[in-house]
């Protein structure tokens, strides 16, 4: 595709990547993935010959199209490009990249702006679930990216984009708790296997021999810990109805400890083999849900506020992610307020 493909590069939440209209990419999946790998510069740990930023968090892709579903504006397919492997996977969702889908859909004319705030109903193809974004379109024009909302892990401020998730429980695994248990023992470690929009294995950091306050670099260099986590992950995959996850990017692995900055709980997440600089949006939703399950490792450490809805600040290496949970169990709904910013709009090329 030497002529180039139309693409908008955006930051969504604490991630960034390329946003494409489905019609602009090859219909054949193999051809599409070959183009996207070349465009990102994968496989190469530096991704020096492509747009990727040498990190899974900056090697992400959104494919968007007008939806034919009743009551839905657009369909969104998330694709993760591996950095050092020739793999494009749709095995997971991404709540960070999701935040940019609403503005992108308006920019591309898939959704007409409606006054000062435009609602965009998004079908998440990876999981078959619905998210509703509210995008500021001051004066009924294009999305407004400037604003006063700050989120941890991103410098400065931008326009807030509230996102409500609907019916996310069991979106990948078939149930909020695919084994039906508050926790299961794997390699002698108590693990909550949970899916409230993102399949996550939640464990106490202390049970893995760490405090849970280590830096990302310290944990990335901890080879023995990573071996233990991978052993647990490979066993958890079939238990979570995900099958063989050797080459998959799910489940995520989250180590929890008591909050140390006034939040609900402290986390360190592997995605799945590198420690996350923060925590994924839907991963944070799953962890927040685990905190409210009686008998779970997370519940034993969490500081849960009173009332309903509950606002849980999920601490991570670069700050906190705030999750608002209303109700409990599979019928609970979760909402976040994040930001996005358009970085580039033009053509992108692959070798």
């Amino acid at each position: 595709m030497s002529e180039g493909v139309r693409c908008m590069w955006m930051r969504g939440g604490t991630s960034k990547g390329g946003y494409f209209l489905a019609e602009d990419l090859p219909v054949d999946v193999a051809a599409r993935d070959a183009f996207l790998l070349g465009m990102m510069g994968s496989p190469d740990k530096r991704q020096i010959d492509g747009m990727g930023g040498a990190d899974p968090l900056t090697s992400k892709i959104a494919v968007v199209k007008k939806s034919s579903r009743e009551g839905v504006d657009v369909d969104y397919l998330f694709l993760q490009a591996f950095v050092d492997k020739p793999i494009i996977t749709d095995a997971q969702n991404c709540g960070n990249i999701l935040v940019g889908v609403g503005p992108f859909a308006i920019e591309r004319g898939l959704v007409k702006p409606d006054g000062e705030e435009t609602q965009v109903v998004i079908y998440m193809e990876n999981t078959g679930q619905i998210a509703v974004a509210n995008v500021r379109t001051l004066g009924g024009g294009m999305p407004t990216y400037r604003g006063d909302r700050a989120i941890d892990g991103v410098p400065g401020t931008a326009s807030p984009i509230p996102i409500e998730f609907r019916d996310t429980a069991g979106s990948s695994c078939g149930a909020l708790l695919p084994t039906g248990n508050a926790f299961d023992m794997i390699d002698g470690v108590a693990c909550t296997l949970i899916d409230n929009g993102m399949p996550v294995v939640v464990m106490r950091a202390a049970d893995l021999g760490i405090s849970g306050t280590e830096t990302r670099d310290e944990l990335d260099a901890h080879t023995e810990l990573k071996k233990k986590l991978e052993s647990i992950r490979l066993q958890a995959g079939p238990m979570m109805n995900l099958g063989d996850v050797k080459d998959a990017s799910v489940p995520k692995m989250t180590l929890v400890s008591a909050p140390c900055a006034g939040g609900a709980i402290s986390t360190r997440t592997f995605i799945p083999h590198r420690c996350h600089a923060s925590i994924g949006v839907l991963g944070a939703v799953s962890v927040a849900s685990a905190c409210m399950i009686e008998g779970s490792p997370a519940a034993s450490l969490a500081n849960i506020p009173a009332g309903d809805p509950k606002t849980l600040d999920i601490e991570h290496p670069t700050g906190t992610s705030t999750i608002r949970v209303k109700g409990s169990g599979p019928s609970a709904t979760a909402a976040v307020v994040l930001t996005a910013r358009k970085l580039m709009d033009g053509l992108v090329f692959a070798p």
Side-chain angles (χ1 to χ4, degrees):
M1 306 190 74
S2 59
E3 69 276 13
V5 173
R6 186 168 55 155
C7 173
M8 185 177 293
W9 217 260
M10 300 185 76
R11 174 187 62 77
T14 56
S15 296
K16 65 180 176 182
Y19 288 68
F20 295 87
L21 290 177
E23 64 191 53
D24 291 334
L25 290 171
V27 175
D28 179 74
V29 172
R32 180 201 69 187
D33 290 356
F35 167 76
L36 293 174
L37 286 168
M39 177 272 296
M40 280 292 185
S42 298
D44 172 47
K45 65 180 181 180
R46 292 195 300 154
Q47 292 178 315
I48 193 64
D49 199 36
M51 296 291 291
D55 191 295
L57 301 182
T58 56
S59 301
K60 299 186 174 186
I61 299 144
V63 182
V64 183
K65 64 184 177 183
K66 187 80 173 176
S67 183
S68 60
R69 295 173 172 83
E70 185 177 354
V72 176
D73 294 309
V74 295
D75 295 345
Y76 151 60
L77 175 68
F78 170 70
L79 299 173
Q80 175 71 61
F82 279 51
V83 174
D84 55 356
K85 296 180 180 179
I87 295 174
I88 298 286
T89 178
D90 64 358
Q92 67 178 79
N93 208 336
C94 180
N96 277 300
I97 293 298
L98 167 68
V99 183
V101 171
F104 174 76
I106 297 169
E107 293 259 13
R108 287 289 188 259
L110 301 182
V111 176
K112 291 183 179 180
D114 181 19
E116 294 193 350
E117 186 171 87
T118 300
Q119 184 179 89
V120 183
V121 181
I122 304 163
Y123 177 79
M124 299 180 283
E125 292 190 47
N126 304 73
T127 56
Q129 307 302 313
I130 299 292
V132 181
N134 288 281
V135 182
R136 286 186 180 177
T137 47
L138 300 181
M142 288 294 101
T144 300
Y145 297 100
R146 292 183 178 178
D148 58 4
R149 177 72 180 189
I151 61 173
D152 287 324
V154 177
T157 62
S159 180
I161 302 177
I163 302 274
E164 178 188 342
F165 299 102
R166 297 179 180 173
D167 302 323
T168 54
S171 56
S172 295
C173 301
L176 180 71
L177 299 171
T179 68
N181 302 320
F183 69 90
D184 295 273
M185 299 301 296
I186 305 178
D187 287 352
V189 177
C191 303
T192 296
L193 311 182
I194 190 166
D195 171 21
N196 201 1
M198 177 65 69
V200 181
V201 179
V202 183
M203 306 150 283
R204 282 182 289 258
D207 291 346
L208 275 297
I210 65 170
S211 69
T213 60
E214 292 84 355
T215 67
R216 182 191 191 194
D217 289 342
E218 288 173 335
L219 293 177
D220 270 336
H222 199 322
T223 55
E224 192 60 35
L225 170 66
K226 293 169 86 169
K227 287 180 182 178
K228 291 179 182 178
L229 288 175
E230 184 64 359
S231 175
I232 293 171
R233 195 179 78 87
L234 293 177
Q235 295 174 71
M239 296 170 69
M240 299 179 76
N241 302 317
L242 296 171
D244 183 357
V245 295
K246 181 180 178 181
D247 293 322
S249 56
V250 289
K252 310 302 186 188
M253 309 295 286
T254 296
L255 303 168
V256 296
S257 56
C260 53
I265 200 160
S266 179
T267 65
R268 295 294 185 269
T269 298
F270 286 78
I271 54 169
H273 303 125
R274 293 186 66 183
C275 187
H276 202 313
S278 55
I279 188 171
V281 174
L282 292 169
V285 170
S286 288
V287 171
S289 301
C291 288
M292 297 191 292
I293 295 174
E294 185 177 355
S296 73
S300 69
L301 298 166
N303 179 20
I304 303 298
D308 184 43
K310 300 179 186 297
T311 299
L312 277 65
D313 287 329
I314 308 300
E315 299 175 6
H316 54 72
T318 53
T320 62
S321 292
T322 301
I323 307 298
R324 191 180 186 214
V325 181
K326 186 175 182 179
S328 61
S331 61
T333 60
V336 298
V337 180
L338 292 172
T339 65
R341 189 167 79 85
K342 179 170 66 172
L343 304 175
M344 183 279 298
D345 193 2
L347 299 178
V348 69
F349 298 84

